Amino acid sequence: MRTQHAGQSLWSVAAGVLLVALSSPGLAQTTADDYPQDPLWLVAVKAFLVIFGLLTAFAYMTLVERRLLARFQVRLGPNRVGPLGLLQPLADAIKSILKEDIIPTRSDKLVFVLAPIISITFALVGFGLIPFGPPGSFFGGHPWVINLDVGILYLFAVSEMAVYGIFLAGWASNSKYSLLGSLRSSAALISYELALGTSLLAPVLVVGSLNLRQIVDWQDTHGWLILFAPIAFGVFAITSMAEAARTPFDLPEAEQELVGGYNTEYASIKWALFQMAEYVHLITASALIPTIFLGGWRMPDPIPDIPYLWMFLKIALFLFIFIWIRATWFRLRYDQLMRFGWGVLLPVALLWFLVTALAKVLGASNTALIWLSLLGIAVIVAIIVIRGIQVRSATPRAKGVRA
């Protein structure tokens, strides 16, 4: 409850500052209504293609991740089912569907079934806002499913709803392991969502819009937002991993402590839906990072803008980075996870938002924001170095071991 109330108070203050800033003159004035809406049948087709593409990407992401992890660990990985192992996702899908579907006797059967459906549903509905090209580049239609002036707020809303799937799964299972896993997973996700949302306030202030298409267009004129808000970029990338429950933030599973976390009692296709939701969150995060901070589908001059191509390559790059981190990093303890979220990421994101807001109020130019960003990075690096020296000097060493 304290976490929830603290989050509500923080977001009330941040929302007030943001609304005042966005209402000031000189910011983006175009709206989603400036572009004609696609006919309803085309929107339905695009929604189907997005869902089909995400589910297919999830299936082959499991194969790509297993093969990459195998390469990192000097082994082969799955390569037996089909040529080069390309049919392994199909075999895994058939296995998940045909496995025995067990529902605990004393569980809340309705909620037990609805929980994975809630998780995957709200994981899928956020991807449709991401633009993959200019208006009219999808066979005469727009290369996005929906175009909202409050696109970022919409993404926050649907990502928050995904927490209910995790909590309800643990509660409906009538298992102590599942309940404990769902409670701490919900607390961790809500905590990191605060830092995630706060990190995006600075880019929104710089651009003056919550619309993802307008953010991409602004970067084409002024430069990538990572130049003006690199600290926000770092916080957003880290918290995106936490939202997708990726290493080192994969505490929802935590098999060494809670057997299997919130999905201990799940099997068959229901268990697969939870895994699907995590991978879809990961793909969405890998698409949002380049959209907000790296120009989306556009590239800086003199590189030509090629719809779809650059966006897919940027998504693939961040997916590879996330897999790389999983192969090389260790899992945090739960107390370290919460301390890092509340004690490091949230204060850094909030401080950078206040610095950006003050700079915009004082009429600072974009060049000044770049210099402020460099100064902020220098301060963070200095703090990390000093902290590392302090920890190293305080660590006891055995006799005969050189420093």
Side-chain angles (χ1 to χ4, degrees):
M1 293 299 293
R2 291 181 180 179
T3 301
Q4 182 179 3
H5 290 322
Q8 291 175 348
S9 301
L10 176 61
W11 271 106
S12 297
V13 175
V17 176
L18 187 62
L19 288 175
V20 172
L22 290 179
S23 63
S24 61
L27 299 178
Q29 300 296 326
T30 57
T31 65
D33 294 333
D34 294 337
Y35 290 96
Q37 298 296 321
D38 290 327
L40 187 59
W41 67 268
L42 184 56
V43 174
V45 170
K46 292 189 292 185
F48 171 79
L49 291 177
V50 166
I51 294 175
F52 178 79
L54 285 175
L55 298 184
T56 304
F58 149 72
Y60 279 91
M61 262 299 296
T62 60
L63 175 62
V64 170
E65 182 170 31
R66 292 169 67 184
R67 292 297 295 270
L68 284 176
L69 291 176
R71 297 293 293 178
F72 280 118
Q73 299 165 359
V74 197
R75 54 187 178 86
L76 295 178
N79 62 353
R80 298 294 183 181
V81 184
L84 302 177
L86 293 177
L87 296 181
Q88 184 66 49
L90 178 61
D92 292 339
I94 295 174
K95 181 187 71 172
S96 296
I97 294 172
L98 297 181
K99 285 182 68 175
E100 182 180 5
D101 188 14
I102 299 174
I103 298 179
T105 304
R106 296 186 178 182
S107 65
D108 189 317
K109 294 179 176 54
L110 177 60
V111 179
F112 188 86
V113 172
L114 286 178
I117 298 176
I118 292 174
S119 292
I120 185 58
T121 299
F122 286 103
L124 290 171
V125 296
F127 198 86
L129 272 72
I130 299 173
F132 279 77
S137 60
F138 181 76
F139 303 102
H142 302 320
W144 54 75
V145 179
I146 52 177
N147 183 30
L148 298 178
D149 289 332
V150 291
I152 291 181
L153 294 182
Y154 169 82
L155 290 172
F156 286 159
V158 297
S159 63
E160 282 281 353
M161 293 299 295
V163 177
Y164 285 98
I166 294 177
F167 177 75
L168 292 176
W171 177 81
S173 297
N174 195 26
S175 167
K176 301 300 186 291
Y177 287 120
S178 300
L179 182 59
L180 290 173
S182 65
L183 286 174
R184 75 178 196 174
S185 298
S186 302
L189 291 176
I190 292 173
S191 301
Y192 275 81
E193 279 173 357
L194 289 174
L196 183 145
T198 307
S199 68
L200 286 183
L201 294 178
V204 168
L205 279 178
V206 173
V207 177
S209 175
L210 295 165
N211 187 296
L212 292 178
R213 182 193 54 77
Q214 294 175 10
I215 292 175
V216 172
D217 292 342
W218 186 93
Q219 293 177 86
D220 183 51
T221 305
H222 300 84
W224 288 359
L225 271 171
I226 191 175
L227 300 174
F228 310 104
I231 296 175
F233 166 78
V235 175
F236 183 78
I238 294 173
T239 51
S240 295
M241 285 192 294
E243 284 292 296
R246 299 290 295 182
T247 305
F249 307 103
D250 53 341
L251 267 296
E253 287 80 14
E255 65 275 359
Q256 79 276 19
E257 304 166 25
L258 298 172
V259 182
Y262 64 93
N263 56 11
T264 299
E265 303 296 335
Y266 282 86
S268 184
I269 192 64
K270 295 187 182 67
W271 178 87
L273 288 178
F274 281 120
Q275 304 306 309
M276 190 184 302
E278 289 187 7
Y279 275 94
V280 172
H281 277 300
L282 182 66
I283 296 171
T284 303
S286 300
L288 279 175
I289 293 173
T291 298
I292 297 174
F293 293 98
L294 299 177
W297 61 271
R298 296 181 180 273
M299 293 292 285
D301 294 331
I303 303 175
D305 295 334
I306 304 177
Y308 303 98
L309 175 62
W310 296 126
M311 191 63 187
F312 283 122
L313 289 178
K314 292 176 183 179
I315 293 174
L317 173 64
F318 280 98
L319 287 174
F320 173 77
I321 293 174
F322 288 147
I323 296 173
W324 190 358
I325 292 174
R326 178 181 180 182
T328 56
W329 206 254
F330 52 85
R331 177 181 290 160
L332 298 177
R333 294 197 316 263
Y334 185 70
D335 62 305
Q336 295 172 331
L337 177 79
M338 298 299 286
R339 188 183 307 117
F340 184 61
W342 284 100
V344 177
L345 293 181
L346 182 59
V348 168
L350 185 58
L351 180 61
W352 183 249
F353 162 60
L354 295 176
V355 169
T356 305
L358 180 61
K360 297 299 290 184
V361 169
L362 296 178
S365 64
N366 291 334
T367 304
L369 286 177
I370 295 178
W371 285 108
L372 282 175
S373 300
L374 294 176
L375 177 62
I377 293 175
V379 171
I380 292 175
V381 171
I383 293 175
I384 293 174
V385 171
I386 294 173
R387 180 58 179 166
I389 295 174
Q390 292 175 343
V391 172
R392 183 178 177 83
S393 61
T395 303
R397 294 182 176 84
K399 294 182 179 180
V401 178
R402 294 182 179 179

